[in-house]
């Protein structure tokens, strides 16, 4: 007597429960991706098409389940239902990723005129007469000076 097989069932109840759990996961992911697409549809009209695609795929999955329950699809074809559910899960994941995909646009840099020597270095004390100053408040450094003082002497 073989007790490992199902009693009064064509399919093991554990396998049937696992397939129902997988179907519930598929339905939840399809529902979430439809909601995401409808929310993002206000900014991008293509998201309404993705939501419509997800609704149609959900209807296809429901028709497959109905055929399986009514007996039109044999009980040995449970693997086909799992395959269809897996494809729909993949589709809902990619639809959700597409809904939240942000396209980064690179703007070309604006090239302006070169600005050389427009910054000044602060000094430790008040400006003094020497190679670094040409007046009381002008702190430009004279790069062509032959003085023994270095720019670091003023820091």
């Amino acid at each position: 007597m073989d007790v490992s097989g199902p009693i009064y069932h064509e399919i093991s109840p554990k396998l049937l429960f696992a397939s129902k759990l997988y179907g519930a996961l598929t339905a939840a992911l399809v529902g979430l991706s439809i909601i995401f697409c409808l929310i993002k549809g206000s900014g991008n009209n293509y998201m309404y098409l993705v939501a419509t695609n997800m609704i149609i795929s959900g209807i296809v999955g429901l028709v497959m389940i109905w055929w399986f329950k009514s007996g039109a699809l044999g009980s040995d074809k449970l693997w086909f239902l799992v395959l269809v559910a897996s494809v729909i899960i993949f589709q809902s994941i990619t639809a959700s990723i597409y809904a939240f995909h942000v396209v980064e646009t690179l703007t070309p840099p604006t090239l302006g005129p070169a600005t050389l020597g427009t910054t000044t270095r602060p000094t430790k004390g008040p400006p003094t007469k020497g190679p670094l100053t040409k007046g009381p408040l002008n702190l430009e450094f004279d790069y062509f000076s032959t003085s023994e003082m270095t720019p670091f002497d003023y820091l």
Side-chain angles (χ1 to χ4, degrees):
M1 183 166 140
D2 184 23
V3 291
S4 63
I7 306 170
Y8 306 114
H9 300 287
E10 293 180 26
I11 301 174
S12 168
K14 290 181 181 179
L15 188 60
L16 202 56
F17 177 72
S19 67
K20 287 180 182 179
L21 194 62
Y22 199 66
L25 174 71
T26 305
L29 288 176
V30 167
L32 282 174
S33 65
I34 290 171
I35 290 171
F36 294 156
C37 291
L38 290 178
I39 289 172
K40 292 291 187 171
S42 62
N44 184 359
N45 290 335
Y46 291 114
M47 296 311 298
Y48 292 128
L49 293 174
V50 177
T52 305
N53 188 11
M54 290 306 306
I55 291 170
I56 292 171
S57 296
I59 291 172
V60 167
L62 289 175
V63 167
M64 297 294 292
I65 291 171
W66 179 53
W67 285 346
F68 184 75
K69 292 282 187 183
S70 67
L73 192 61
S75 61
D76 59 335
K77 302 294 185 203
L78 184 64
W79 63 269
F80 187 67
L81 284 179
V82 172
L83 177 68
V84 169
S86 299
V87 170
I88 293 174
I89 285 175
F90 178 73
Q91 180 183 3
S92 66
I93 290 172
T94 54
S96 299
I97 290 172
Y98 180 70
F100 288 103
H101 177 71
V102 177
V103 178
E104 295 181 15
T105 57
L106 297 176
T107 57
T110 56
L111 299 175
T115 55
L116 299 175
T118 58
T119 60
T120 59
R121 292 187 174 190
T123 59
K124 288 185 180 177
T128 60
K129 297 277 183 187
L132 291 180
T133 60
K134 295 186 185 214
L137 295 176
N138 189 2
L139 298 175
E140 293 182 26
F141 179 71
D142 185 10
Y143 289 101
F144 302 106
S145 174
T146 57
S147 173
E148 291 94 34
M149 296 184 75
T150 63
F152 300 106
D153 292 338
Y154 290 97
L155 298 178

